[in-house]
Amino acid sequence: MPDITMPQLGETVTEGTITKWMKQVGDKVDEDEVLFEVSTDKVDSEVPSPSAGYLSEILVQEGETADVGAKLAVISDAPPDGGGGGEAAEPETKAEPDAEDAEPDAQPEPEPDDEPEEVATKAQASGETEEDASEAAGGDDAEGGREPEPEAEPERAPSGAGTRPADGRPSGRPSGGGGGGGKVLSPVVRRLIAEHDLDAESIEGTGAGGRITRDDVLKVIDGGVTKPAAKAAPSGDGAAKVDAPVEMKAEPEAAAPERSSAAPRPAVRPGERDETVPFSNIRKRTAEHMVRSQDTSAHTLVVVEVDYSGVEKVRTAVKDRFRNDEGFGLSYLPFIARAVVDAIEEFPRINASVGNDELIVHRYVNLGIAVDLNFEGLIVPVVHDADTKRLRALAREISDLAGRARGKKLGADDISGGTFTITNPGGYGTLLTFPIINQPQVAILSTDGVKMKPVAVELPDGTWGVAVHPVGVLALAFDHRANDGAYASAFLAKLKEIVETRDWAQEL
């Protein structure tokens, strides 16, 4: 009987959360029929069945998280009998020791079936996200890749390969950094604990069997309370016992307490007239990617006003024919995307990533386009090799990626490898947006609303007059570690020049 395993949905993805099973145990399944939906820090995706048969077992329930390659379900050739009909579920697989519990802290139920869709940007994003953004437009995320997992500290590593966690199940990997002390932690939890220099022993786990979840770690980072340690032994002078978090050694009475890296936030509790909306998986991932991006990059903003009269003249002339030919309307975005590609050719360090004390300049342009998913999240699908495509091809691919993003039809390749991101809130008439960089990129461009405004124009006789033109803002957020303001401003000036002066008619 074939096993259904967690797919690899991106080169840096290590785990996924089951958001919805489309079939129940005993249901007939056709080959390539959608079997379940999965959410990762990169993308929400529908996963088809690799073979036809009957769903005899479901080992990972909705709302649960499992590592890539983990066994999720079993497809059998014949319908299961009353007892579930297939192989017995493997205990260690049914409840992955290090699968992260995706449930909210205050609710024991899994997340709702109607997992919101994700959009490209923050996030992207991303991711973020997608990381990185999420990522994005600020994001995870077209978000950058996941950082390598920290190695366990030698003094805290398990004593041998046969070591088992407290619940008796075998552990195939060492505990995470930051003082895991042999606890089984998921990759995301280990990374967060290591990044914030926390002690896993001091974190109260609310997952199954007391397992530490991502929400538990975030609560501590945001100023939550760690579990108390045993009272310190009385000092020689008979001082009273003092409660202290386990990560803090018993100090003399006069010693100053260790300062927290983040100021604690007051707890907010809903009132009778408030509505409580639990954060979805994509919302959590986007938040992580955005915060990590701001902690990583020295965000700086440069802005220019752009006169779109040349673009508008061509767009108006061809919009009806274009819609008939392509099946979608021609917006300002493809013109800007085409101009970005050409401006990058002259200013390549905008199309780069920060490495280990070095700037990695990409000699190709994989253009991320942030997509909104019905106000529930962001995702950044990528137009690969955008520098080889002209305006019509860019418009076609942007429209296709946005449609597939909203329909949860994106694959791993569609959301990976981005080198520069555009987020486009201008459809809502925005004046100026400061986007968050989609890690590990070094810049992101926001295209804001285009409105009719009076502008000064030079008349044929050399004098000046006033005319009404379509004008909008282009805002570039860049990483000041990678480039200075002069370079970023020169790139933006070149982009403005291309948009305003190019003969766009010949592109179409």
Side-chain angles (χ1 to χ4, degrees), residues 303-308 431 453 455 471-474 492 496 500:
V303 178
V304 294
E305 266 195 334
V306 177
D307 187 334
Y308 287 95
L431 175 63
K453 291 184 178 181
V455 297
V471 176
V473 165
L474 293 180
L492 205 54
K496 169 185 169 75
E500 291 181 343

PDB file of all heavy atoms in Angstrom, residues 303-308 431 453 455 471-474 492 496 500:
ATOM      1  N   VAL A 303      12.093  57.829  -2.520  1.00  0.00           N
ATOM      2  CA  VAL A 303      10.814  57.962  -3.220  1.00  0.00           C
ATOM      3  C   VAL A 303      10.948  58.950  -4.377  1.00  0.00           C
ATOM      4  O   VAL A 303      11.645  59.954  -4.257  1.00  0.00           O
ATOM      5  CB  VAL A 303       9.725  58.472  -2.239  1.00  0.00           C
ATOM      6  CG1 VAL A 303       8.396  58.663  -2.939  1.00  0.00           C
ATOM      7  CG2 VAL A 303       9.580  57.515  -1.064  1.00  0.00           C
ATOM      8  N   VAL A 304      10.274  58.650  -5.496  1.00  0.00           N
ATOM      9  CA  VAL A 304      10.177  59.618  -6.600  1.00  0.00           C
ATOM     10  C   VAL A 304       8.741  59.665  -7.104  1.00  0.00           C
ATOM     11  O   VAL A 304       7.993  58.691  -6.988  1.00  0.00           O
ATOM     12  CB  VAL A 304      11.107  59.260  -7.787  1.00  0.00           C
ATOM     13  CG1 VAL A 304      12.560  59.368  -7.394  1.00  0.00           C
ATOM     14  CG2 VAL A 304      10.777  57.890  -8.353  1.00  0.00           C
ATOM     15  N   GLU A 305       8.349  60.818  -7.643  1.00  0.00           N
ATOM     16  CA  GLU A 305       7.075  60.937  -8.354  1.00  0.00           C
ATOM     17  C   GLU A 305       7.323  60.660  -9.830  1.00  0.00           C
ATOM     18  O   GLU A 305       8.327  61.101 -10.389  1.00  0.00           O
ATOM     19  CB  GLU A 305       6.492  62.345  -8.185  1.00  0.00           C
ATOM     20  CG  GLU A 305       5.514  62.453  -7.042  1.00  0.00           C
ATOM     21  CD  GLU A 305       4.684  63.727  -7.125  1.00  0.00           C
ATOM     22  OE1 GLU A 305       5.150  64.707  -7.719  1.00  0.00           O
ATOM     23  OE2 GLU A 305       3.569  63.729  -6.578  1.00  0.00           O
ATOM     24  N   VAL A 306       6.400  59.949 -10.441  1.00  0.00           N
ATOM     25  CA  VAL A 306       6.550  59.548 -11.833  1.00  0.00           C
ATOM     26  C   VAL A 306       5.338  60.021 -12.630  1.00  0.00           C
ATOM     27  O   VAL A 306       4.191  59.849 -12.205  1.00  0.00           O
ATOM     28  CB  VAL A 306       6.702  58.018 -11.954  1.00  0.00           C
ATOM     29  CG1 VAL A 306       6.788  57.596 -13.415  1.00  0.00           C
ATOM     30  CG2 VAL A 306       7.941  57.541 -11.202  1.00  0.00           C
ATOM     31  N   ASP A 307       5.601  60.589 -13.801  1.00  0.00           N
ATOM     32  CA  ASP A 307       4.549  61.021 -14.724  1.00  0.00           C
ATOM     33  C   ASP A 307       4.260  59.864 -15.678  1.00  0.00           C
ATOM     34  O   ASP A 307       5.114  59.458 -16.462  1.00  0.00           O
ATOM     35  CB  ASP A 307       5.019  62.256 -15.495  1.00  0.00           C
ATOM     36  CG  ASP A 307       3.914  62.873 -16.343  1.00  0.00           C
ATOM     37  OD1 ASP A 307       2.981  62.139 -16.730  1.00  0.00           O
ATOM     38  OD2 ASP A 307       3.993  64.086 -16.624  1.00  0.00           O
ATOM     39  N   TYR A 308       3.049  59.327 -15.607  1.00  0.00           N
ATOM     40  CA  TYR A 308       2.682  58.156 -16.409  1.00  0.00           C
ATOM     41  C   TYR A 308       1.955  58.526 -17.703  1.00  0.00           C
ATOM     42  O   TYR A 308       1.293  57.675 -18.298  1.00  0.00           O
ATOM     43  CB  TYR A 308       1.784  57.224 -15.587  1.00  0.00           C
ATOM     44  CG  TYR A 308       2.492  56.471 -14.493  1.00  0.00           C
ATOM     45  CD1 TYR A 308       2.511  56.968 -13.194  1.00  0.00           C
ATOM     46  CD2 TYR A 308       3.127  55.259 -14.736  1.00  0.00           C
ATOM     47  CE1 TYR A 308       3.145  56.288 -12.165  1.00  0.00           C
ATOM     48  CE2 TYR A 308       3.763  54.564 -13.720  1.00  0.00           C
ATOM     49  CZ  TYR A 308       3.771  55.081 -12.438  1.00  0.00           C
ATOM     50  OH  TYR A 308       4.397  54.406 -11.424  1.00  0.00           O
ATOM     51  N   LEU A 431      -0.929  56.680  -1.353  1.00  0.00           N
ATOM     52  CA  LEU A 431      -0.041  57.788  -1.701  1.00  0.00           C
ATOM     53  C   LEU A 431       1.418  57.379  -1.602  1.00  0.00           C
ATOM     54  O   LEU A 431       2.217  57.628  -2.508  1.00  0.00           O
ATOM     55  CB  LEU A 431      -0.300  58.979  -0.773  1.00  0.00           C
ATOM     56  CG  LEU A 431       0.649  60.172  -0.941  1.00  0.00           C
ATOM     57  CD1 LEU A 431       0.510  60.777  -2.323  1.00  0.00           C
ATOM     58  CD2 LEU A 431       0.389  61.208   0.153  1.00  0.00           C
ATOM     59  N   LYS A 453      -2.993  64.841 -11.691  1.00  0.00           N
ATOM     60  CA  LYS A 453      -2.463  65.975 -10.933  1.00  0.00           C
ATOM     61  C   LYS A 453      -1.966  67.052 -11.897  1.00  0.00           C
ATOM     62  O   LYS A 453      -1.540  66.754 -13.011  1.00  0.00           O
ATOM     63  CB  LYS A 453      -1.302  65.526 -10.045  1.00  0.00           C
ATOM     64  CG  LYS A 453      -1.678  64.626  -8.899  1.00  0.00           C
ATOM     65  CD  LYS A 453      -0.457  64.334  -8.032  1.00  0.00           C
ATOM     66  CE  LYS A 453      -0.807  63.478  -6.833  1.00  0.00           C
ATOM     67  NZ  LYS A 453       0.388  63.212  -5.991  1.00  0.00           N
ATOM     68  N   VAL A 455       0.740  69.344 -13.426  1.00  0.00           N
ATOM     69  CA  VAL A 455       2.199  69.291 -13.523  1.00  0.00           C
ATOM     70  C   VAL A 455       2.681  70.417 -14.434  1.00  0.00           C
ATOM     71  O   VAL A 455       1.947  70.888 -15.321  1.00  0.00           O
ATOM     72  CB  VAL A 455       2.688  67.935 -14.073  1.00  0.00           C
ATOM     73  CG1 VAL A 455       2.312  66.795 -13.152  1.00  0.00           C
ATOM     74  CG2 VAL A 455       2.114  67.681 -15.468  1.00  0.00           C
ATOM     75  N   VAL A 471      -0.126  60.898 -12.355  1.00  0.00           N
ATOM     76  CA  VAL A 471       1.123  60.920 -11.588  1.00  0.00           C
ATOM     77  C   VAL A 471       1.002  59.938 -10.423  1.00  0.00           C
ATOM     78  O   VAL A 471      -0.053  59.831  -9.791  1.00  0.00           O
ATOM     79  CB  VAL A 471       1.427  62.339 -11.061  1.00  0.00           C
ATOM     80  CG1 VAL A 471       2.678  62.335 -10.170  1.00  0.00           C
ATOM     81  CG2 VAL A 471       1.602  63.301 -12.215  1.00  0.00           C
ATOM     82  N   GLY A 472       2.081  59.235 -10.145  1.00  0.00           N
ATOM     83  CA  GLY A 472       2.107  58.308  -9.011  1.00  0.00           C
ATOM     84  C   GLY A 472       3.494  58.245  -8.399  1.00  0.00           C
ATOM     85  O   GLY A 472       4.470  58.748  -8.956  1.00  0.00           O
ATOM     86  N   VAL A 473       3.586  57.612  -7.253  1.00  0.00           N
ATOM     87  CA  VAL A 473       4.838  57.497  -6.507  1.00  0.00           C
ATOM     88  C   VAL A 473       5.409  56.090  -6.658  1.00  0.00           C
ATOM     89  O   VAL A 473       4.674  55.102  -6.597  1.00  0.00           O
ATOM     90  CB  VAL A 473       4.613  57.822  -5.016  1.00  0.00           C
ATOM     91  CG1 VAL A 473       5.792  57.365  -4.161  1.00  0.00           C
ATOM     92  CG2 VAL A 473       4.385  59.312  -4.828  1.00  0.00           C
ATOM     93  N   LEU A 474       6.726  56.013  -6.843  1.00  0.00           N
ATOM     94  CA  LEU A 474       7.469  54.765  -6.745  1.00  0.00           C
ATOM     95  C   LEU A 474       8.366  54.881  -5.512  1.00  0.00           C
ATOM     96  O   LEU A 474       9.155  55.816  -5.401  1.00  0.00           O
ATOM     97  CB  LEU A 474       8.314  54.513  -7.995  1.00  0.00           C
ATOM     98  CG  LEU A 474       7.547  54.235  -9.297  1.00  0.00           C
ATOM     99  CD1 LEU A 474       8.515  54.015 -10.451  1.00  0.00           C
ATOM    100  CD2 LEU A 474       6.635  53.019  -9.137  1.00  0.00           C
ATOM    101  N   LEU A 492      16.567  54.547  -8.736  1.00  0.00           N
ATOM    102  CA  LEU A 492      15.179  55.002  -8.804  1.00  0.00           C
ATOM    103  C   LEU A 492      15.020  56.102  -9.856  1.00  0.00           C
ATOM    104  O   LEU A 492      13.993  56.157 -10.561  1.00  0.00           O
ATOM    105  CB  LEU A 492      14.738  55.506  -7.434  1.00  0.00           C
ATOM    106  CG  LEU A 492      13.233  55.472  -7.126  1.00  0.00           C
ATOM    107  CD1 LEU A 492      12.665  54.081  -7.348  1.00  0.00           C
ATOM    108  CD2 LEU A 492      12.978  55.913  -5.691  1.00  0.00           C
ATOM    109  N   LYS A 496      12.540  55.934 -13.112  1.00  0.00           N
ATOM    110  CA  LYS A 496      11.616  57.021 -13.460  1.00  0.00           C
ATOM    111  C   LYS A 496      11.826  57.455 -14.913  1.00  0.00           C
ATOM    112  O   LYS A 496      10.853  57.638 -15.666  1.00  0.00           O
ATOM    113  CB  LYS A 496      11.859  58.197 -12.510  1.00  0.00           C
ATOM    114  CG  LYS A 496      11.176  59.508 -12.895  1.00  0.00           C
ATOM    115  CD  LYS A 496      11.600  60.618 -11.935  1.00  0.00           C
ATOM    116  CE  LYS A 496      11.166  61.989 -12.426  1.00  0.00           C
ATOM    117  NZ  LYS A 496       9.714  62.211 -12.232  1.00  0.00           N
ATOM    118  N   GLU A 500       8.977  57.223 -17.970  1.00  0.00           N
ATOM    119  CA  GLU A 500       8.459  58.462 -18.559  1.00  0.00           C
ATOM    120  C   GLU A 500       8.845  58.651 -20.021  1.00  0.00           C
ATOM    121  O   GLU A 500       8.114  59.313 -20.769  1.00  0.00           O
ATOM    122  CB  GLU A 500       8.972  59.655 -17.747  1.00  0.00           C
ATOM    123  CG  GLU A 500       8.374  59.736 -16.349  1.00  0.00           C
ATOM    124  CD  GLU A 500       8.863  60.942 -15.560  1.00  0.00           C
ATOM    125  OE1 GLU A 500       9.894  61.539 -15.955  1.00  0.00           O
ATOM    126  OE2 GLU A 500       8.222  61.307 -14.561  1.00  0.00           O
TER     127      GLU A 500
END
